[in-house]
Amino acid sequence: MRHLIVPNRLVEDTLSVLKENGWLAQGMRVVSHQDGEHRLVPLDTGAPAEFPEPIRELEITTVEGSIDERVDSDWWTHLTKLVGKKEIEKHGDSWPSSHEFISDMMVVRIEENLDEHSESIAKAKLISHPHIRLILRDEGVQGELRIRKLSPIGARIDNQIVTESIPKTHISTRVTVKESGVKIACDPNKAYFSSKLQTERLETLSLAKLLRRHLGRPISICDPFCGVGPALATLLSEKGLVSEVLASDLNPDAIELLLQNLSTWDRREYPIEPTMVRRVFDDRIVGVADAMDLSQNPEFRAKWDMLIVNLPHRTIDILPSLTGLLDMNSVSIVRGRAIVAESEIDDANEAICEALPPRVEGSDEPSLKIKRDYSSSLRLCSFQAWIAPV
Ligand SMILES: C[S@@+](CC[C@H](N)C(=O)[O-])C[C@H]1O[C@@H](n2cnc3c(N)ncnc32)[C@H](O)[C@@H]1O
């Protein structure tokens, strides 16, 4: 979670500015910095990538957020009332310890042995988080389109908590989230979206700015696994950063949401219905496509300064079929994510290097950086490579 590093004497003033703008993370604590002279103030995901005055100069760091015990103890109190102390103790660490907010929805993972308590979990979460409308049980990402199976287990309807036979009219998962100051329409039941990737996207933004500085001009971006477009949201919000964009995905539902999002971000009217990938404006190519076929089309081939490869369970295998998209007349960047067993990271680094064209002399070789656990043995990692022109 992003935190502002605030000198102790400025904490109160900074908190006022953040609260006033809705930029302070809810349910998280302000914690002391190890230097004793600063505090780390948790930021809401909707807070902008860069702040205006008077907090513009403050540095931002990304560290694990610290849950506000008062909110957390609330949920435990309500859960204990609902299931009894004995059950709480019996299931120990199995109770859900974290959740993900997507707008006014909360996504919770519930272990199988707690099936019988999912209703109580939903009730306790809804009581302790009054701004939440819908609780969804996360049953994992499924299929090639990486769509999460999310089952509604509780809803707030006219101030009443409902956990049985929730009416269809109240289980819509189509929401708008605000990330880094930009609105993103998404529907996690129809297209992949995770609010946990904000830091990843901000890192991509920093890399894109470096590339723009290096090339001395706005850069063209190819995002062939774009989903509803969250990476583009961050990049397009930076003035003068992006020239042309190719945004495509295999999932038509993702493209439908992307078209709505692009209409908002670009302030132009995009078509409403998703079509196969095509040029929609002079500087925008958008639509449904299998990423592996893109570089066979001469209109899309060898054109892009930055290539975003976000299909982490297949990245290493598919890299060779994507590199033809890069513009080899000047320096370009490949930015990717990969899921790899921790013990195989060295081999994966070697495979990535082999799959990519030669790197810029003197730049760091692509090397997987662990971002978080994907399972007990697998890690979600990211990398970047600066590709040399030929
Ligand atoms: C992990 S999601 C990332 C989505 C988006 N970039 C984001 O960060 O939210 C991977 C996306 O790749 C898409 N996808 C899977 N296979 C594909 C393929 N062969 N060609 C194009 N897109 C594909 C899925 O539909 C999904 O939207």
Side-chain angles (χ1 to χ4, degrees):
M1 170 171 266
R2 290 192 306 152
H3 290 70
L4 266 190
I5 307 177
V6 185
N8 290 338
R9 69 192 156 77
L10 293 181
V11 169
E12 286 310 317
D13 289 351
T14 307
L15 282 174
S16 308
V17 176
L18 295 178
K19 277 183 198 157
E20 215 168 278
N21 290 286
W23 295 338
L24 185 67
Q26 299 291 312
M28 306 307 281
R29 276 195 319 128
V30 175
V31 292
S32 300
H33 189 275
Q34 56 197 20
D35 69 5
E37 289 171 14
H38 295 79
R39 299 277 174 89
L40 301 182
V41 178
L43 293 172
D44 187 79
T45 50
E50 280 168 19
F51 287 96
E53 297 294 355
I55 50 176
R56 187 194 179 115
E57 304 304 328
L58 296 177
E59 256 182 72
I60 294 177
T61 179
T62 303
V63 293
E64 184 108 2
S66 174
I67 289 174
D68 185 338
E69 298 299 335
R70 284 164 305 181
V71 176
D72 207 40
S73 67
D74 243 24
W75 124 262
W76 283 115
T77 311
H78 295 298
L79 187 67
T80 313
K81 271 192 208 151
L82 292 164
V83 302
K85 221 172 166 184
K86 243 173 139 185
E87 279 299 287
I88 297 278
E89 280 162 13
K90 180 174 152 195
H91 296 292
D93 288 344
S94 299
W95 294 104
S97 58
S98 64
H99 45 241
E100 179 182 354
F101 291 116
I102 303 182
S103 184
D104 60 356
M105 308 185 295
M106 181 193 274
V107 178
V108 197
R109 263 180 192 273
I110 299 176
E111 307 225 348
E112 263 173 42
N113 61 330
L114 287 172
D115 271 353
E116 58 170 324
H117 292 309
S118 64
E119 200 178 316
S120 301
I121 292 171
K123 273 189 189 154
K125 291 280 186 196
L126 281 163
I127 300 170
S128 53
H129 294 272
H131 64 289
I132 288 298
R133 170 182 60 92
L134 188 63
I135 308 281
L136 299 158
R137 181 174 181 171
D138 187 350
E139 305 195 40
V141 177
Q142 297 180 335
E144 195 53 20
L145 302 184
R146 316 309 292 156
I147 302 173
R148 276 197 278 186
K149 181 159 188 265
L150 298 171
S151 314
I153 55 169
R156 192 184 313 278
I157 304 176
D158 299 331
N159 283 329
Q160 302 290 318
I161 289 176
V162 180
T163 51
E164 267 175 53
S165 316
I166 306 170
K168 278 215 167 92
T169 44
H170 288 79
I171 55 173
S172 167
T173 47
R174 165 71 167 78
V175 290
T176 300
V177 299
K178 202 167 180 198
E179 187 181 281
S180 308
V182 187
K183 286 185 179 163
I184 304 170
C186 64
D187 185 339
N189 250 332
K190 288 192 163 175
Y192 178 94
F193 177 81
S194 171
S195 58
K196 291 187 177 167
L197 299 179
Q198 181 186 25
T199 311
E200 191 69 22
R201 303 194 250 271
L202 288 171
E203 282 177 18
T204 304
L205 173 65
S206 301
L207 273 172
K209 285 185 187 174
L210 280 179
L211 184 59
R212 172 183 55 182
R213 196 178 318 151
H214 183 90
L215 296 176
R217 56 165 172 79
I219 61 170
S220 57
I221 293 181
C222 179
D223 188 356
F225 307 95
C226 66
V228 304
L232 296 169
T234 315
L235 295 164
L236 288 171
S237 67
E238 176 74 21
K239 240 180 150 199
L241 176 65
V242 179
S243 53
E244 267 195 71
V245 170
L246 186 158
S248 59
D249 196 285
L250 203 52
N251 178 357
D253 289 333
I255 295 300
E256 191 175 332
L257 285 153
L258 171 79
L259 289 165
Q260 290 172 32
N261 282 326
L262 284 169
S263 296
T264 312
W265 304 331
D266 263 352
R267 297 199 182 91
R268 299 190 255 197
E269 268 190 43
Y270 279 78
I272 291 171
E273 296 295 328
T275 60
M276 291 311 284
V277 68
R278 67 184 173 98
R279 194 171 285 280
V280 176
F281 293 110
D282 280 353
D283 55 354
R284 299 288 183 263
I285 297 168
V286 185
V288 180
D290 185 329
M292 273 49 103
D293 298 338
L294 287 173
S295 66
Q296 283 154 30
N297 184 328
E299 208 191 339
F300 310 151
R301 206 183 147 70
K303 285 207 63 158
W304 307 98
D305 299 317
M306 181 178 235
L307 171 66
I308 301 174
V309 185
N310 192 352
L311 191 62
H313 63 299
R314 290 184 58 200
T315 293
I316 298 174
D317 298 337
I318 60 179
L319 269 182
S321 60
L322 299 171
T323 51
L325 293 163
L326 292 169
D327 179 354
M328 300 303 284
N329 291 313
S330 48
V331 170
S332 54
I333 288 185
V334 177
R335 166 80 167 153
R337 299 169 67 227
I339 293 168
V340 179
E342 192 160 357
S343 56
E344 287 167 16
I345 286 186
D346 287 344
D347 291 346
N349 284 337
E350 230 171 85
I352 290 172
C353 288
E354 268 171 33
L356 290 173
R359 270 71 61 196
V360 171
E361 220 180 285
S363 68
D364 290 336
E365 280 294 77
S367 157
L368 290 170
K369 195 165 144 206
I370 299 177
K371 292 305 176 76
R372 59 185 155 91
D373 292 352
Y374 185 77
S375 68
S376 54
S377 61
L378 297 175
R379 305 288 169 259
L380 190 52
C381 308
S382 61
F383 69 92
Q384 60 263 355
W386 288 76
I387 307 297
V390 288

